C-alpha cells in the first residue's frame, strides 16, 4: 500500500514538473461560477470530514498543492477573478481532499458545487 502511494506521488510530481502552460478556452471544471469564499467553504468542509482522527492539522504534500491548483482551482470558471492568495487557500483545502480521497474527493467537490 505504501509503495503504491509513493509511486502515485512520484507520478504526480513528474506531472507537476512539466509546468504545462494554461490553454485558452472553457475551464475544465464543470461547475457553476461562484465566489472563492463559497468554493473554499465547500472544499474545507469536505477535507475536514475526511481527515483521519487525531491528525494535528491539514498539511498536504507540496506536490499535491501544485496539482490541486493546476487541475482544480485554475480550472474553476470563476478562477480568473480570484486573487493569488485566495487561490492558494483554496488549493490547500483541495490538496487535503485529494490526499485523503484522491479523484473521489474531487468528484465529491464537483458534486457539492453543482448542488449549491
Amino acid at each position: 500500500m505504501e509503495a503504491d502511494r509513493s509511486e502515485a506521488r512520484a507520478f504526480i510530481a513528474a506531472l507537476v514538473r512539466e509546468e504545462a502552460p494554461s490553454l485558452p478556452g472553457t475551464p475544465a471544471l464543470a461547475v457553476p461560477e461562484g465566489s472563492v469564499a463559497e468554493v473554499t467553504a465547500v472544499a474545507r468542509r469536505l477535507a475536514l470530514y475526511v481527515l483521519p482522527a487525531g491528525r494535528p492539522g491539514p498539511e498536504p504534500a507540496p506536490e499535491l498543492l501544485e496539482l490541486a491548483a493546476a487541475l482544480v482551482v485554475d480550472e474553476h470558471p470563476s478562477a480568473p477573478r480570484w486573487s493569488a492568495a485566495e487561490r492558494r487557500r483554496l488549493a490547500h483545502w483541495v490538496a487535503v481532499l485529494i490526499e485523503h480521497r484522491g479523484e473521489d474527493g474531487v468528484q465529491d467537490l464537483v458534486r457539492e458545487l453543482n448542488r449549491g
Side-chain angles (χ1 to χ4, degrees):
M1 177 88 158
E2 188 59 39
D4 291 341
R5 282 188 178 181
S6 68
E7 286 177 22
R9 287 178 192 228
F11 177 72
I12 291 167
L15 286 175
V16 170
R17 280 193 302 274
E18 290 295 316
E19 297 179 10
S22 294
L23 300 174
T26 306
L29 204 61
V31 297
E33 292 199 17
S35 74
V36 71
E38 293 167 334
V39 177
T40 302
V42 172
R44 181 180 184 276
R45 178 176 48 81
L46 291 171
L48 290 174
Y49 180 75
V50 299
L51 276 176
R55 182 165 175 186
E59 273 309 315
E63 62 271 15
L64 290 179
L65 284 169
E66 294 175 29
L67 180 75
L71 298 180
V72 179
V73 176
D74 292 347
E75 293 302 325
H76 192 284
S78 300
R81 295 191 306 271
W82 302 339
S83 72
E86 290 169 328
R87 288 173 156 205
R88 280 191 302 273
R89 217 171 3 261
L90 176 55
H92 171 89
W93 291 111
V94 172
V96 171
L97 194 55
I98 291 170
E99 185 171 24
H100 295 284
R101 294 270 297 139
E103 176 65 20
D104 289 341
V106 174
Q107 293 303 317
D108 290 344
L109 178 62
V110 168
R111 203 170 13 264
E112 287 295 312
L113 293 175
N114 280 319
R115 281 187 204 171

